[in-house]
Amino acid sequence: MADEKELRYDPAVIEPKWQARWAADPGMYAAEPHSSGKPKYYVLEMLPYPSGQLHMGHVRNYSIGDALARHMWMRGYNVMHPMGWDAFGLPAENAALKNNTPPREWTLANIAAMKRQFQRLGMGFDWATEVTTCFPDYYRWNQWFFLRMYEKGLAYRKKSKVNWCPDCATVLANEQVIDGRCWRHEDTIIEQRDLVQWFLRITAYAQELLDDLDKLEGWPEKVRTMQRNWIGRSEGTEVEFTVENRAEKIRVFTTRVDTIFGATSVQLAPEHPLVIAMSAEDAGLREQVAKLLEEQKKAREAGDIGTIEKHGIPTGKFAINPYSSELVPIWVANYVLIDYGTGAIMSVPGHDERDFEFAKKYAIPIRRVIGSADPNAEEPELPFVSEDGVLVNSGEFNGLGCHEAQKKLQKVAKAKGFGEATITFRLKDWGVSRQRYWGTPIPIIHCEKDGIVPVPDDQLPVLLPENIEITQQGGSPLSKVSDFVNVTCPKCKGPAKRETDTMDTFVDSSWYFYRYTDAKNDSAPFDSKTAQYWFPIDQYIGGVEHAILHLIYSRFWTKMMRDLGLITNGEPVERLFTQGMVLKDGAKMSKNRGNVVSPDEMVARFGADAARMYSLFAAPPDRDLDWQEDGVAGVSRFLGRVFRIVTRYAPAARAGAAAKAENPQGVALKLLRKLHQTTAKITQDFEGRWHFNTCVAAIMELVNEIQGADAQLAAGEVPPAVMHELLQTVVLLVAPFAPFLAAELWEELGGDGAVLRQPWPKSDPGLAKEDEIEIPVQINGKLVSLVRVPAGSDAKVIEASALAEEKVKARTAGKTVAKVIVVPGRAVNLVVK
RNA sequence: GCGGAAGUGGUGAAAUGGCAAACACACUAGCCUUAGGAGCUAGCGCCGAAAGGCUUAGGGGUUCAAGUCCCCUCUUCCGCACCA
């Protein structure tokens, strides 16, 4: 054991030292031009909202991405690893109200604070391409895209029922409503209001968004399934029922037109136009419908919308089934949704669970129209919802299979003009208007004479005015800024008013990753050739909470930009990784629970390397991670061991820098073998599995083994050349996970240049291979013994040594070995009777 | 209700169908003393004095061999939830 006074591992000294050096070399994380000849690799983590503080979820997210980026740099790729700020949004306005600080000021101060945290953590971002979405040089392109979409009919205005959050005092997209509540205010019930809103026609891409999910093989199946469900494609038929003694018609949407002869009523959503019309004439009906709506509202407040009891009101009117001419009663029902399909259904209680439940309750006739395909079989019990059967009680269609019948019925409907095959999506157009201040102004002018007039491109950006008064009531804050509102119409030069709504902030994050590739461009959102070089993103890393919102909008935006001719790729992201949450005491960290762990505190106590490495070590990246401070302390102790062992033998290693390790023996061979095995394991993991927790464990094993040989190292039993390879490689393997320590030790070992520019170590399979291995010997599947055989021994050799083994002999004595199964290199199993 | 993921020591966890519990945390015992959130050595699934036996939520199955594959049940978490 070396007895001279040793240096102590002190991250509080090492880390700021390297942070300062890296800050002085801003180009070190910059991507190279396309002409570099290296293969490109775009690694991206989701950009944070500048709340003012990084949290542990961020530390984990960016530790994963940074490890990957560093590894890819060392593998010789041209890496792009950018960072930016999702800087628009409501919290800035709330803060403004609370602290009397302008949103811009508050946001920029938060960005500065979080950028310091990123730098203190040693994250390798190229700050030269930093994107801040609240800056005019960014959001002008939101406006530019909006105008392009307006020209193509992809941005349009309509009056509609919208989701209104009373706490946000603004409209929410469908995607932002969770169980009837606001995604930011769990306790706030969303109200329905009628407002004129801007929409983006994402439904124009519904089919493609769905189809292309199949191509996204690098995405978690879970996310693809969630998106598929969200898009909710449904093939069916629309059928028009005429109403007895009225001019209106009722269109119903059904996926089971084959059951239409079993329709015994027609059900309308309470908000259906015909219900409104009939209510206007019938005070009794009006009252009951109002009650129904009130019930729904209450259920929504109680959070059990979806499970409330089915409830209906007979209107006393009848609809005519166009196939059978049968008269069926028209009801208003609380389980029919106005915003799906046509807001009206035919009710087939014999073959639909919900209709069955409803019919039972109100004694509506239940009729079998699908029977068993096998004439000898007993008829299945109702409700029978399977499509595996044949039509009965269906006139001329009797005997047809369900699918066949559907096609035939559709043909008839089409021919007679009362219906057709249709495809319905659950996905709705994206409402982007927000009655808030801190967002991208929608570049539209309303002129009394010319109507809606787009702001001409050369007048972009429409700047968000500063020094305005933020209030929480009464519509958009911008509507009170007369300098902003009152303009001249670009067409007629007459007086006109600006649109005062701003855009949903998900617009900002839908294309920010393209801007990174050309962040300073002031004549286009980005250069197409440059984007073509970098896209698609090779690896995107973020939380699964964005599986629907951000990731579906981004896919839409990419397709839209492709159709504008800006890019050639149809999907933005090749591989997606969704990391698990960071928990504390088994629960999500939150101020309410008082279980928030601050990254700053962790860094102050244990250092950035320890915090980062722990976040990778404590669990596989895709699983939830319970933050345990003792665990961070453990990783910190491990880093201390690495520091000590490397500094202790750095002089020996430096002495071996020029030499070559010839034919190593004994402990030197043993350590080299472990080294090359570890290198292979970690390299492999970066390529596929991403189990960084076991990578860190493997490095720990390696370091433990080196330390276990301390006496032999001190005695000089390992040649300097081997010491050199050993210690340098340990440092390089650690580098993606603990960049500060790696930099310090690399310098200590006399290494040339930045660690980031070193080639990633290569594992020599010959060196990594053991020359002798242990093979378990089982008798009837139970482990009995182990035998040592030369590596690569064939089955005969292994069998012979297994049978010769003492314990095996003892147990097989007097018995018959019926069978011997040898899996070379793996196991031997004797079947003994 | 539907869909998905998961269930392994006191804890976080590991294990291409082939030695269950690697690596760490906590704990126990000992050593060291520049008394540090330090370092070193050893032990640490359960039963048992030992030999040995048992053990991956529970039950069944496939297999020479199952934590791993199949079926059923239970539990937890996540997503969707009257989508016609």
Side-chain angles (χ1 to χ4, degrees), chain A residues 307-525:
Chain A
T307 53
I308 57 170
E309 203 190 326
K310 295 193 180 11
H311 199 152
I313 306 157
T315 62
K317 301 280 191 276
F318 288 83
I320 300 157
N321 183 331
Y323 289 99
S324 64
S325 303
E326 183 181 9
L327 281 176
V328 294
I330 301 170
W331 288 64
V332 182
N334 65 347
Y335 71 99
V336 180
L337 308 173
I338 185 63
D339 55 1
Y340 182 78
T342 56
I345 63 164
M346 62 179 203
S347 180
V348 185
H351 303 279
D352 182 283
E353 307 248 6
R354 295 152 302 181
D355 295 344
F356 184 81
E357 190 189 328
F358 189 87
K360 277 260 161 181
K361 179 168 173 179
Y362 291 104
I364 296 171
I366 299 168
R367 189 184 304 155
R368 175 187 303 280
V369 289
I370 307 292
S372 172
D374 175 0
N376 301 317
E378 216 174 295
E379 289 297 352
E381 200 185 322
L382 300 182
F384 176 67
V385 299
S386 159
E387 297 190 31
D388 188 14
V390 295
L391 271 67
V392 296
N393 299 324
S394 299
E396 56 179 300
F397 303 97
N398 280 341
L400 291 176
C402 291
H403 292 283
E404 207 184 337
Q406 283 166 17
K407 286 203 189 95
K408 218 161 203 170
L409 286 156
Q410 283 170 348
K411 246 185 221 160
V412 170
K414 180 105 191 166
K416 298 196 175 168
F418 60 76
E420 61 195 331
T422 56
I423 293 162
T424 295
F425 289 94
R426 183 183 175 277
L427 182 72
K428 296 275 170 297
D429 278 337
W430 175 13
V432 293
S433 297
R434 296 293 179 273
Q435 292 68 45
R436 300 310 321 165
Y437 162 67
W438 194 232
T440 305
I442 292 174
I444 291 289
I445 288 165
H446 299 282
C447 172
E448 265 181 46
K449 194 164 140 263
D450 296 311
I452 292 171
V453 182
V455 173
D457 279 5
D458 60 12
Q459 288 176 29
L460 295 185
V462 176
L463 284 171
L464 197 56
E466 303 214 13
N467 305 319
I468 74 139
E469 201 198 335
I470 309 266
T471 61
Q472 198 132 31
Q473 280 93 38
S476 172
L478 287 179
S479 62
K480 297 181 197 93
V481 184
S482 57
D483 285 358
F484 176 81
V485 174
N486 297 309
V487 288
T488 51
C489 169
K491 265 194 191 156
C492 68
K493 309 296 171 201
K497 290 190 187 303
R498 271 194 204 285
E499 172 71 52
T500 57
D501 283 354
T502 53
M503 294 184 202
D504 183 6
T505 56
F506 277 102
V507 168
D508 308 329
S509 53
S510 290
W511 67 280
Y512 74 101
F513 30 65
Y514 289 92
R515 183 69 181 173
Y516 284 142
T517 65
D518 192 16
K520 304 274 192 288
N521 196 325
D522 60 4
S523 59

